[in-house]
Structure formats: C-alpha cells, structure tokens
Amino acid sequence: MTNTKVEGKSDALVFFGATGDLAYKQIFPALFGLVRDEGLTTPIIGVAKSGWTLDQLKQRAKESVEAHGGNTKSEVFVQLLSQLRYVDGDYNDPATFQELRKQLGKAKKPLHYLAIPPVLFGTVTGQLAKSGCADNARLVVEKPFGHDRATAAELSRTIDEYFAEGNVFRIDHYLGKEPVQNIVYTRFANPMFEPLFNRNYVRSIQITMAENFGVQDRGRFYDQTGAIRDVIQNHMLQVLATLTMDPPTGQKHEASRDAKASLLKAVRALTPKDVVRGQYEGYHKVPGVAPDSTVETYAAARFEIDNWRWAGVPIFIRTGKVLPVTTAEAIVEFKRPPRETFGEIIAPSSAHMRFRIQPDVTVALGARVKVPGDRMVGEDIELVLTRQPAADMPPYQRLLGDAMEGNSELFTREDIVDAEWRIVNDILDDVTPLYGYAPGTWGPDEAVELIGTDGPWLNPAPAGKAG
Ligand code: BG6
C-alpha cells in the first residue's frame, strides 16, 4: 500500500460517475453549497465514460443546480464552473488515469469520490494506484458497500490494498442528516433523558422510514437490491445505533464510531421469524424489474440488543415504497406505570420520545396531563422540544466537506459495515416469504402479527401534520 494517512485538507476533488444520476441529484448541489458556504476553491474533476465534453458537464451542472433550487446566475455558480474539469474515458484504460493525473496538476492531496457501482471499485482503485493518483489521496465510496457480508469483506480487502483505512470514507448519507445528529445531541446533552434510555424504562422502539413513491426509474438497481439491502442494512441500523449506543467516551476522534460499533456488534442477528417482507402490487411493471422478481419493496423486522442496557427491549424497523406518506421517524416508547393509578385505559405509547427525521424535523416528548375538571382523567400531550420545517444543510454537502477535511466521524467504518451485514446476512433474498400489498397502504398484514402485543405500529403523520 502506497497510501498512508493523509493529514490536512484535500486540495482537489475528483468524482467518478460525473454524468450519472447521483451526480445530478446530490453531488452538483452539494458542490454548489460547498463553494457558497465553505469557500471551496480546489479543482473539481468529473470522470465518466459518456463521450461528453467539459461544456456538456457544465450544462449538466447547471440543470442540476437549477433543479435543486440553486441560483445559476450567481457568482458562486460562475466560480463553481471555473473549478470544474472533465476527464472522459474507460475505467479499464490506463490513459484515463494518466489524463486524470495531468488534470490534477499541482494538487498533492486529492480526494477521489466513487459515485459508481461497487463492481467497479476494484478496477478504479487499482488504476488510481498505478497512475500515482492514489498517493496521499482520500477515497470516498458510496453505499451499497457489498451485496452481503462476504462480498463486503472482499470489497474491503480490495480497497485496503491501495488505501489506508484512515483515508477511506464510506458514505451513509443518513449520518449527514442534521436531525440524526440531533438524536445524538439530545440524548447526550440532557442528563435527564439519558437515564431513561434502557430496559428499565423503555417498552419498545419503533423506527419507520416510509416513502409514498415507488422504485421510479431505478428498477434495474433496485431489483438487485431490495429494501433490506437498500436501507435497513445501512440507514436504519445507523438510526438504531444512534438511539441506543452508549455515550461516546473521551474526546478522541473515533469515540462516536467506537460506541456505535460496539452497539451494532451486540445486535442479535435476524432470523426468518423476525422479518416480514412485502412487494407492492405493480412492482413487476417497473422497467428493469424481472417479471417474476421476489425482491422486497417493504420490510419490517424485530431486533434485540444483547447487552445489559437493552436486553429484552424489542426494537422494530419498518420501511417501504409506495406507503401512505414520505417520512422517517423514530419513537422510543416508555413503559406505563406498574399500575394505572387512575383506572384509565391508556395507550402504551402515551409516554414517549419522538424524533422525526424528515421531511420536517421534530424532537418531542409525549406525556399525560390531567384534563381540567373534577375527574382524575387525563389526555396525551406532546411537548415539542424543537420543530423545524426541514433540515438546513443537505447531507452530501456536509459529508463531502467533512471528507475534504479528513473528518471521518460521520462515515461508516469497516467494522461497522461488517457488523451491519452480520445482522441481516441470514435473512437476505428468499429466505422468508414475500407478501403482496396495495400501494398507499402500510404494507402487508403479516407485519401486524410481527409486532403483536408490542404494538401497535405507530404510523407517522404526513408532512406538516405531525404532532
Ligand atoms: C437511498 C436509497 O440510499 O436512500 C433510496 O437507495 C431511498 O431507495 C433513499 O429512497 C432515501 O433517502 P432520503 O434522504 O430521501 O431519506
């Protein structure tokens, strides 16, 4: 390995897959934000094999920034275009990387961002190393990191050949979301909440990530992925870890990732009885989807954490396409008192903490208060600790900015990715039955049986109607 840990700021940003969907949807808007808010002035070099010119890439950047609400008549955008370069070529061809080396000019600490399918990671990292572009360089890789535990380990070995772990930044964009950071902050900045987050006070935890749209134009990708690989193995397990990890200890850089890794290593591996998979009616008609596909577009699962803090507390995660709303929300339900002193019949979720991640952001505390009058009867209320219409900084801007600085706290680590795959590895693909569900519903009825008396499922409200 020619690549030892890089210190200080990266002085060039290279992104592979420059003409692709992710670049259009996330990377150009993030770059625009970085130039505007962080004063990014380094060369930005797009690489792809599309037969494009630099002018075509600039046009694409314009369309992307416009579509995402940025002003392309601004000085910031003119500045961004002046930093943009483009290398067109095959990733198997050494000439592509010689050209990249040339375009890097005087840059001594480039950052290479692989916004390309993982099957190409080995080819590209190898070519980066051979051409000298990997010297003193950082590497950012996109999810999905591998297809299962074994392929993820294989991928890590390939990357390890050319890049030191300290220079590798594995993206899980949920970690760049402000409200996910706010879960960590709320838990560990308030000494009165932290003592409640354990088996003595918590009855259950539910995490829901719902989308009211289908697979859209991503049929080919999605049909090889499915909901468990697409979002449970990564985004949802990160939220679970954020809600349940121990407080990071000490000031050291890795403290938070260490706490998360140790939690994820304690999550029990799922078995078939813990999982319900669903597929929405009409999924087979999506272009790129196999006519007999048994890939899930919905999954619900019951997790347990084998440590002292959480032993016996059921944790439910649910995600799906074409559900009634688009939201992500986590609810920590506290236990009811051992005896209902006032003889009321009270929903188990009355006392809770609710973290709404998107589209709007809320942290709220659910409790019961007495209704005015002579009877000892109460009602459920929610004390809103914070509510914002949406998170400010888009996650990709935050994450790319951090990677350029060499700050890896909000990226997953090799052992974390392995721990995540271990949890889902035995229930991937067709190990469990697949149930149909109608678009616009909350998924198959079997999920209701899964949650049983630990339920009911708490369906998040649509945008603007929460709490
Ligand atoms: C991606 C998944 O990682 O996350 C998509 O591949 C999903 O299927 C998306 O729609 C959700 O991200 P967000 O930020 O919109 O919740």
Side-chain angles (χ1 to χ4, degrees):
M1 192 201 307
T2 54
N3 181 278
T4 47
K5 179 138 170 47
V6 178
E7 301 297 338
K9 274 192 186 187
S10 296
D11 53 6
L13 193 157
V14 180
F15 63 118
F16 290 82
T19 57
D21 199 46
L22 189 72
Y24 177 78
K25 287 190 180 139
Q26 303 284 2
I27 302 174
F28 287 118
L31 293 171
F32 180 77
L34 283 171
V35 173
R36 183 192 55 209
D37 305 337
E38 315 282 330
L40 180 78
T41 54
T42 66
I44 300 170
I45 307 166
V47 188
K49 187 199 166 201
S50 295
W52 285 21
T53 61
L54 175 59
D55 281 343
Q56 280 172 293
L57 191 73
K58 287 182 174 174
Q59 179 59 27
R60 179 77 159 173
K62 183 165 182 269
E63 288 159 14
S64 158
V65 170
E66 266 165 8
H68 294 88
N71 179 0
T72 53
K73 300 213 163 53
S74 60
E75 275 177 31
V76 172
F77 187 70
V78 174
Q79 165 71 30
L80 170 65
L81 289 190
S82 75
Q83 291 166 239
L84 206 58
R85 320 253 185 283
Y86 180 57
V87 175
D88 192 87
D90 194 304
Y91 298 150
N92 282 300
D93 184 356
T96 308
F97 294 82
Q98 279 149 21
E99 178 58 21
L100 173 60
R101 190 52 264 173
K102 217 159 90 195
Q103 292 289 343
L104 281 169
K106 294 198 191 101
K108 297 220 158 27
K109 294 189 226 170
L111 174 143
H112 302 289
Y113 175 14
L114 308 189
I116 52 177
V119 286
L120 297 171
F121 287 2
T123 310
V124 172
T125 49
Q127 294 278 18
L128 285 171
K130 276 188 223 136
S131 58
C133 295
D135 297 350
N136 236 354
R138 297 190 168 111
L139 186 77
V140 177
V141 293
E142 263 301 325
K143 71 163 259 283
F145 196 82
H147 194 64
D148 53 22
R149 195 176 185 193
T151 51
E154 181 61 40
L155 203 53
S156 283
R157 278 195 290 276
T158 307
I159 290 177
D160 280 355
E161 266 182 57
Y162 308 109
F163 286 86
E165 173 65 17
N167 294 335
V168 181
F169 297 76
R170 295 176 187 78
I171 288 201
D172 180 322
H173 79 276
Y174 259 60
L175 292 177
K177 285 183 189 270
E178 172 67 27
V180 174
Q181 288 312 298
N182 206 350
I183 297 177
V184 182
Y185 190 86
T186 307
R187 283 192 61 205
F188 301 134
N190 295 290
M192 70 279 206
F193 296 141
E194 185 40 28
L196 304 180
F197 273 59
N198 58 49
R199 68 182 183 288
N200 297 326
Y201 295 97
V202 175
R203 171 185 182 258
S204 74
I205 298 178
Q206 289 190 28
I207 306 168
T208 300
M209 175 190 167
E211 292 176 320
N212 68 2
F213 48 87
V215 171
Q216 297 172 319
D217 53 359
R218 298 165 74 223
R220 236 184 97 228
F221 159 79
Y222 199 88
D223 207 39
Q224 316 203 347
T225 309
I228 296 172
R229 287 187 174 93
D230 189 36
V231 299
I232 292 191
Q233 182 270 340
N234 36 74
H235 305 329
M236 295 296 92
L237 286 179
Q238 287 289 342
V239 175
L240 182 154
T242 305
L243 284 163
T244 54
M245 69 184 189
D246 280 349
T249 50
Q251 298 297 322
K252 63 184 168 61
H253 197 57
E254 293 292 335
S256 165
R257 299 205 296 182
D258 288 346
K260 237 179 239 166
S262 131
L263 182 285
L264 287 166
K265 285 173 192 169
V267 176
R268 198 178 296 172
L270 293 173
T271 64
K273 69 171 180 4
D274 302 320
V275 178
V276 170
R277 293 191 313 131
Q279 188 186 77
Y280 66 82
E281 289 158 17
Y283 173 69
H284 288 161
K285 295 200 198 104
V286 176
V289 168
D292 54 353
S293 169
T294 53
V295 162
E296 76 280 353
T297 60
Y298 170 101
R302 180 185 197 280
F303 297 81
E304 283 205 44
I305 302 175
D306 287 324
N307 65 14
W308 276 40
R309 184 192 274 266
W310 293 110
V313 178
I315 300 176
F316 295 91
I317 290 180
R318 181 171 61 141
T319 185
K321 301 282 183 194
V322 292
L323 299 188
V325 294
T326 299
T327 55
E329 189 169 288
I331 297 195
V332 177
E333 275 187 15
F334 297 113
K335 290 180 177 170
R336 294 293 311 148
R339 175 174 171 270
E340 293 293 354
T341 311
F342 307 106
E344 297 171 282
I345 297 170
I346 293 167
S349 58
S350 300
H352 64 253
M353 231 173 143
R354 187 164 67 86
F355 299 92
R356 187 159 163 108
I357 297 167
Q358 60 191 24
D360 43 317
V361 182
T362 306
V363 179
L365 195 61
R368 280 186 75 77
V369 294
K370 185 179 166 303
V371 174
D374 51 9
R375 292 190 317 141
M376 291 299 263
V377 175
E379 63 179 339
D380 291 336
I381 54 121
E382 249 196 3
L383 175 65
V384 174
L385 307 183
T386 182
R387 177 179 287 155
Q388 299 133 34
D392 271 353
M393 193 192 281
Y396 275 85
Q397 180 179 336
R398 167 85 196 252
L399 294 174
L400 281 181
D402 278 7
M404 290 289 280
E405 303 269 348
N407 180 358
S408 53
E409 191 174 338
L410 298 183
F411 294 83
T412 54
R413 222 168 44 186
E414 192 174 342
D415 58 337
I416 295 181
V417 171
D418 180 64
E420 292 173 336
W421 277 121
R422 180 192 58 78
I423 297 165
V424 298
N425 206 54
D426 297 344
I427 49 90
L428 293 170
D429 303 319
D430 290 337
V431 171
T432 56
L434 183 76
Y435 303 102
Y437 65 97
T441 65
W442 279 102
D445 292 342
E446 284 73 11
V448 175
E449 286 162 35
L450 177 79
I451 201 166
T453 53
D454 293 321
W457 288 108
L458 303 168
N459 297 332
K465 301 233 171 87

